[in-house]
Amino acid sequence: LGEPLPAGAPLDPLVSLFLRREQRQQRRERQSSLAQRLRRFLRRKFFLFRRSALMTLIALRNLALGRPSPERLAQEVAFASWRGEEEEARPEAEGGAQRGPEL
């Protein structure tokens, strides 16, 4: 990690895909406007706060009422951990600059 490979060593296809994706992400973040950076920051903080609040409520409920079935608990944790992946999956060019202001 972080060290260059020796000369002539083949690069794993999954590693190269990951590295290209990370480079694209870093380039996009560096080239984004202040408004886009602020939006991304607020979105991250919102989902962090949302997950913290929901997990706290789940824990308090479990203390008061007892632990639910593992299936229900798994569903609740999955809901609390949701970050809007389907929105994050689309490229910024499609979702950000071409759309109008969201109200």
Side-chain angles (χ1 to χ4, degrees), residues 43-44 47-48 50-51 79-85 88:
R43 181 179 176 83
R44 286 183 190 143
F47 282 109
L48 178 69
R50 175 187 178 273
R51 185 176 192 280
F79 177 74
S81 298
W82 180 77
R83 292 178 164 236
E85 282 85 14
E88 298 234 350

Side-chain angles (χ1 to χ4, degrees), residues 68-76:
S69 68
E71 296 85 22
R72 180 168 177 193
L73 193 57
Q75 287 176 341
E76 291 171 348

Side-chain angles (χ1 to χ4, degrees), residues 50-68 72-73 76-77 80:
R50 175 187 178 273
R51 185 176 192 280
S52 298
L54 288 172
M55 294 297 272
T56 301
L57 291 174
I58 291 169
L60 290 174
R61 192 233 21 231
N62 292 349
L63 286 173
L65 303 176
R67 196 171 139 189
R72 180 168 177 193
L73 193 57
E76 291 171 348
V77 170

